Amino acid sequence: MTDDQRSGCPINLTLEVVGDKWSLLIIRDMMFGNRRHFRELLTKSEEGISSNILADRLKTLLDADIITREDDPSHKQKGIYSLTEQGIELLPVLAQMAAWGYKYLPVSEELGIRARLLSEGGPKMWAEFMDELRESHLGVARRKKGPSVGERLQAAYESVVNRT
């Protein structure tokens, strides 16, 4: 344990990395929105993060090995952010938080549909989705072929949006 950590408690240590107002939302956008560039993370989130906060949180997530950054081959000054295995394994945490929020808070139908489906799909669906994230972020081939969880979640979201 270092001097800047409050305690060796696993919940405390996790919160020191991802317990601020923005970090889990950035991870959410990388997982569910496939947002991999700074500009996408800055402009495509409904919550409206500022550029200086985004830069700070990305640095924190990089330092904690939750994400990585590689140079974008299409543009020298851009970077592509990817989830690490540690970042991918936060999916069940986000799924559980989303399920709790869906159950107890006044979520909108279009933003709650993914939470409902992930809750209904449970750990089996989460494992499939984590395999998809490993493929897109780490380059590891998926074990299961066919319609992806990400595609099914996106289709459900678009269906609700088109209805409303």
Side-chain angles (χ1 to χ4, degrees):
M1 192 168 76
T2 65
D3 291 340
D4 57 341
Q5 296 166 330
R6 290 185 297 253
S7 78
C9 167
I11 294 171
N12 170 68
L13 292 171
T14 302
L15 289 173
E16 287 185 15
V17 175
V18 296
D20 63 90
K21 185 175 178 178
W22 295 105
S23 294
L24 288 175
L25 295 177
I26 293 166
I27 294 165
R28 174 206 65 189
D29 288 349
M30 292 178 73
M31 284 182 179
F32 297 101
N34 196 32
R35 297 182 187 133
R36 308 280 295 274
H37 293 91
F38 186 91
R39 178 76 39 208
E40 293 172 325
L41 291 163
L42 182 66
T43 61
K44 294 187 177 181
S45 179
E46 289 190 24
E47 291 81 13
I49 191 170
S50 66
S51 61
N52 62 321
I53 297 293
L54 176 58
D56 180 69
R57 294 317 182 274
L58 288 171
K59 182 182 180 327
T60 298
L61 294 170
L62 283 163
D63 291 345
D65 295 323
I66 303 294
I67 63 172
T68 59
R69 183 190 184 279
E70 298 292 327
D71 290 336
D72 187 334
S74 69
H75 193 285
K76 287 183 181 179
Q77 294 174 329
K78 284 186 178 181
I80 300 174
Y81 294 95
S82 297
L83 295 164
T84 63
E85 182 62 27
Q86 287 177 210
I88 291 167
E89 288 189 17
L90 284 168
L91 177 75
V93 174
L94 290 175
Q96 290 285 42
M97 288 177 67
W100 184 89
Y102 185 79
K103 184 174 180 179
Y104 293 109
L105 301 173
V107 302
S108 65
E109 184 181 5
E110 68 271 9
L111 296 178
I113 187 66
R114 292 181 184 117
R116 192 190 84 200
L117 294 175
L118 282 169
S119 180
E120 291 170 356
K124 183 175 184 237
M125 180 183 250
W126 306 343
E128 286 178 38
F129 194 36
M130 286 191 294
D131 279 348
E132 293 167 22
L133 292 169
R134 287 182 188 101
E135 182 174 55
S136 61
H137 289 261
L138 302 175
V140 177
R142 272 195 304 156
R143 293 181 288 214
K144 184 177 179 183
K145 299 301 176 194
S148 75
V149 172
E151 291 167 344
R152 293 185 311 215
L153 294 174
Q154 185 62 27
Y157 168 77
E158 289 172 7
S159 175
V160 171
V161 167
N162 290 334
R163 269 199 337 254
T164 57

